[in-house]
Amino acid sequence: MDLTPKQSIPAAESTRFPDEVLERVLTLLKSPKDRNAVSLVCKDWYTADSWSRRHVFIGNCYSVSPEIVARRFPRIRSVTLKGKPRFSDFNLVPDNWGADVQSWLLVFASGSPFLEELRLKRMRVTDESLEFLALNFPNFRALSLLSCDGFSTSGLATVATHCKNLIELDIQENGIEDLSGEWLSCFPDNFSTLEVLNFSNLITDVNPGVLERLVSRCRSLKVLKLNRSSSLDCLHRLLTSAPQLTELGAGSFSQELTPQQHAELKHAFGFCKNLTVLSGFWDATALNLSAVYPACSGLSFLNLSYTALQSQELASLLPHCPCLRRLWVLDSVGDRGLEAVGANCPSLEEIRVFPTDPFDEDMLHTVTESGIVAVSQGCPKLHYILYFCRQMTNAAVATVVRNCPDFTHFRLCIMNPGQPDHTTNQPMDEAFGAVVKTCKKLKRLSISGLLTDLTFKYIGEYAKNLEALSVAFAGSSDLGMQYVMEGCSKLKKLEIRDCPFGNAALLSGLERYESMRSLWMSACNVTVDGCKALARQMPRLNVEVMKEEGSDDCKADKVYVYRTVAGPRRDAPPSVLTFSSL
């Protein structure tokens, strides 16, 4: 997102289009990258982009101020805003770090009151902010909160009460105070515009009758994702009244059904001809899961990461899903379950295998290198993998990328830090060397296991399209990070934890940070003085050090570096030291 006009922009008088024509043409460009590129052609196009831009994506809420955004794009209707670093998901960021949405809402209310859509990720959202949103934007239509915190179901009740034109309410994976399910009854009796309703991460029961009446009124509802307390009886009635659904998140699937109830549920699923996405199925039994089979023929995405299916249960389900392109499962399916994936999903493009219990090192039923190889052998279109396991080999990874050379995302997490190739006891350097040498389209890479600086040398030399790299418990010296900073010219995001990289490694990225979105380093060998030196040398960089209680004053426990045009932020808590040359 380009926010300030460049002095080098030519006037381009000889090719000037009428303003209304140019703005109309620009509205046809959907890609933010294309819009950004067009805005740099000349001053006229820059101005036209300002007035015609309706959606803005901001990957870091501190990279720009809300005032700058409102001035640059006075007619925006939709905003996507990200806040805390990703490592806040692992409790590595202080709870009071910041990223409060309220300052943005205040500016938009005065400068852009036409706001219709707000999509927030890892932002601080209070009930007061939700009330302000509901009362100050009369045309508001869509709210999506992902991994946000600070609010309760009382805030949702306010949104339901006052947002008369709401078409989307998407609440997922948030740190929400779930006071009761009464918020759902706050939608007016004549309300009927919802197209997306997701409350899957809420805990308390909602009134089935209220939910069923709401769903029956919203004839355009396409996405419905229930929470774990929703029963199969309620699901049956919802499917009967909303067969038009394209995405369904089922609730609990553990209820004991009579043969007649099972047949009726299966019949209801059979009428859902438009389903392309299924998720949920908490605590599913094999018998209950079979009721879903009639709705699986058109599925493109199946998310089973909430239920610990066994290999045979997955093997029985997958033949009914011939069009599957995305699959999420827990490692409880074992290697046999992944063999079933390879045998039944020839069109699969993405697979994610999550740990059932990441802290249980004695789990017997988990996945190994055999499972990932089996998937690669049967799924040649695979280009995205996230794989949690406890053992891996260099040979297996080389086989996987040879079978699937078009990977854009390769995220391998060997959960035991510093784990070598379990057959040769050698470092896993050659595994990731094979990945970066073979997968020329690679954009995101997560590495783990016993790794030396050789892995980073391979990455710097071969991963020329890499945009995001995540590293943990790896490397031998500062050279490792230096190889990456010198060689990966397209790098946007670098995440490092528990690695031996120090100030020399940090300062090796001086030529790279200006084009990167962010750098995270925790439990490394960086000092506060090193962070100050970086801030002094790099304009438009904010360097933050998050101190842990009782730690050495000289040590930078957690470092977060990001580019900004807004200068140092003013809302940092005492535990966060901020350095900036602006």
Side-chain angles (χ1 to χ4, degrees):
M1 178 180 61
D2 187 74
L3 294 160
T4 54
K6 304 294 187 287
Q7 293 182 357
S8 60
I9 296 177
E13 293 293 337
S14 61
T15 59
R16 181 168 184 172
F17 295 99
D19 291 345
E20 60 273 16
V21 172
L22 186 54
E23 289 188 16
R24 175 59 180 164
V25 170
L26 293 184
T27 60
L28 302 177
L29 297 178
K30 305 303 180 183
S31 167
K33 290 184 178 180
D34 290 341
R35 293 294 300 245
N36 292 344
V38 162
S39 72
L40 298 178
V41 171
C42 64
K43 291 181 180 179
D44 288 341
W45 287 33
Y46 177 92
T47 302
D49 177 52
S50 293
W51 286 100
S52 62
R53 183 89 67 122
R54 296 295 181 264
H55 173 73
V56 173
F57 170 85
I58 302 166
N60 179 348
C61 66
Y62 290 115
S63 65
V64 63
S65 70
E67 291 83 4
I68 292 175
V69 173
R71 286 197 304 269
R72 174 73 171 88
F73 305 111
R75 295 181 179 176
I76 52 176
R77 301 289 189 272
S78 171
V79 175
T80 298
L81 186 61
K82 294 185 177 182
K84 299 176 183 179
R86 189 176 71 91
F87 279 94
S88 65
D89 295 347
F90 308 103
N91 299 317
L92 293 178
V93 176
D95 290 337
N96 61 345
W97 181 79
D100 196 317
V101 74
Q102 184 64 22
S103 60
W104 290 83
L105 295 179
L106 290 170
V107 172
F108 289 151
S110 60
S112 304
F114 317 104
L115 190 69
E116 298 177 359
E117 299 183 6
L118 185 61
R119 305 182 186 281
L120 306 177
K121 186 173 184 179
R122 300 191 186 97
M123 293 289 292
R124 173 78 175 174
V125 182
T126 64
D127 288 343
E128 291 74 19
S129 293
L130 292 178
E131 181 179 10
F132 185 89
L133 175 70
L135 297 178
N136 287 275
F137 299 93
N139 299 320
F140 194 74
R141 292 159 48 88
L143 177 64
S144 174
L145 303 178
L146 173 61
S147 300
C148 296
D149 59 38
F151 66 103
S152 74
T153 45
S154 296
L156 299 184
T158 304
V159 172
T161 300
H162 296 288
C163 296
K164 308 298 185 183
N165 301 309
L166 200 67
I167 64 171
E168 178 177 348
L169 183 59
D170 188 358
I171 311 298
Q172 53 180 320
E173 299 179 17
N174 295 283
I176 181 173
E177 186 179 2
D178 196 348
L179 302 175
S180 76
E182 292 301 315
W183 64 273
L184 198 63
S185 63
C186 293
F187 286 104
D189 291 339
N190 61 349
F191 177 81
S192 60
T193 58
L194 270 184
E195 297 176 11
V196 176
L197 177 60
N198 178 4
F199 59 98
S200 57
N201 84 300
L202 301 186
I203 299 173
T204 56
D205 295 346
V206 297
N207 186 307
V210 171
L211 176 60
E212 291 160 22
R213 287 191 293 273
L214 176 63
V215 169
S216 65
R217 292 197 307 271
C218 299
R219 305 311 302 174
S220 297
L221 190 68
K222 300 297 184 184
V223 178
L224 177 61
K225 297 186 178 181
L226 309 174
N227 65 354
R228 189 171 189 167
S229 66
S230 301
S231 69
L232 287 175
D233 290 335
C234 178
L235 176 62
H236 173 224
R237 292 189 293 269
L238 292 171
L239 293 178
T240 302
S241 62
Q244 77 278 3
L245 291 175
T246 60
E247 298 186 26
L248 173 66
S252 173
F253 248 60
S254 60
Q255 179 182 341
E256 187 172 343
L257 299 177
T258 66
Q260 181 177 349
Q261 288 174 320
H262 182 273
E264 291 173 347
L265 181 61
K266 190 172 185 178
H267 185 70
F269 268 108
F271 276 98
C272 297
K273 303 297 185 182
N274 300 315
L275 280 178
T276 60
V277 178
L278 276 177
S279 61
F281 306 109
W282 279 275
D283 309 313
T285 66
L287 178 61
N288 288 351
L289 200 60
S290 66
V292 179
Y293 292 173
C296 291
S297 60
L299 290 184
S300 61
F301 178 25
L302 182 58
N303 181 356
L304 298 170
S305 62
Y306 296 106
T307 185
L309 290 188
Q310 302 302 304
S311 58
Q312 187 53 52
E313 295 167 343
L314 183 63
S316 299
L317 172 61
L318 290 179
H320 299 274
C321 310
C323 302
L324 209 58
R325 296 199 300 272
R326 301 175 65 202
L327 176 64
W328 296 8
V329 295
L330 295 177
D331 60 5
S332 59
V333 300
D335 289 336
R336 296 292 296 273
L338 295 181
E339 290 172 8
V341 174
N344 292 282
C345 304
S347 299
L348 198 69
E349 298 173 2
E350 173 186 325
I351 187 167
R352 304 192 190 195
V353 181
F354 299 96
T356 305
D357 185 350
F359 304 106
D360 185 357
E361 298 183 5
D362 298 322
M363 282 192 65
L364 298 177
H365 304 290
T366 184
V367 294
T368 70
E369 71 277 10
S370 298
I372 191 174
V373 169
V375 172
S376 71
Q377 289 172 337
C379 308
K381 298 180 181 179
L382 202 65
H383 61 74
Y384 189 121
I385 190 165
L386 171 61
Y387 197 77
F388 284 83
C389 61
R390 298 195 181 278
Q391 65 179 55
M392 187 55 59
T393 68
N394 287 297
V397 174
T399 299
V400 169
V401 295
R402 187 166 57 248
N403 292 336
C404 306
D406 292 329
F407 274 112
T408 58
H409 295 67
F410 195 94
R411 304 169 64 189
L412 176 61
C413 181
I414 305 173
M415 288 184 285
N416 300 322
Q419 183 83 4
D421 181 318
H422 83 97
T423 59
T424 67
N425 210 37
Q426 294 297 306
M428 293 293 295
D429 297 326
E430 297 306 322
F432 294 102
V435 173
V436 295
K437 291 176 183 178
T438 305
C439 305
K440 301 302 182 183
K441 301 176 183 178
L442 193 68
K443 292 184 176 182
R444 183 172 182 180
L445 177 64
S446 298
I447 62 177
S448 57
L450 179 61
L451 300 172
T452 71
D453 287 343
L454 180 58
T455 292
F456 298 94
K457 185 176 182 180
Y458 285 143
I459 293 172
E461 185 174 352
Y462 295 101
K464 296 305 180 182
N465 289 309
L466 193 67
E467 296 179 0
L469 175 62
S470 298
V471 183
F473 302 96
S476 311
S477 69
D478 287 339
L479 270 178
M481 184 171 171
Q482 292 173 21
Y483 286 135
V484 172
M485 302 309 289
E486 292 170 3
C488 299
S489 60
K490 296 183 179 180
L491 194 65
K492 301 298 181 186
K493 183 182 292 188
L494 178 57
E495 301 172 334
I496 303 171
R497 57 172 297 188
D498 296 277
C499 293
F501 304 146
N503 291 342
L506 176 68
L507 296 174
S508 70
L510 292 178
E511 296 182 1
R512 191 71 60 215
Y513 294 135
E514 184 68 24
S515 62
M516 288 176 58
R517 181 187 296 176
S518 65
L519 165 70
W520 171 276
M521 298 180 73
S522 60
C524 296
N525 295 329
V526 177
T527 68
V528 172
D529 285 343
C531 294
K532 290 179 179 179
L534 174 61
R536 284 195 300 269
Q537 297 183 60
M538 292 298 298
R540 293 191 174 181
L541 271 193
N542 276 358
V543 182
E544 297 189 5
V545 176
M546 303 173 203
K547 297 294 294 180
E548 296 178 349
E549 187 175 353
S551 67
D552 187 332
D553 290 343
C554 297
K555 185 176 181 181
D557 302 305
K558 301 163 190 171
V559 179
Y560 184 44
V561 180
Y562 55 91
R563 62 182 182 180
T564 180
V565 295
R569 65 186 181 107
R570 300 177 180 86
D571 62 348
S575 62
V576 177
L577 309 178
T578 60
F579 309 109
S580 173
S581 60
L582 284 179

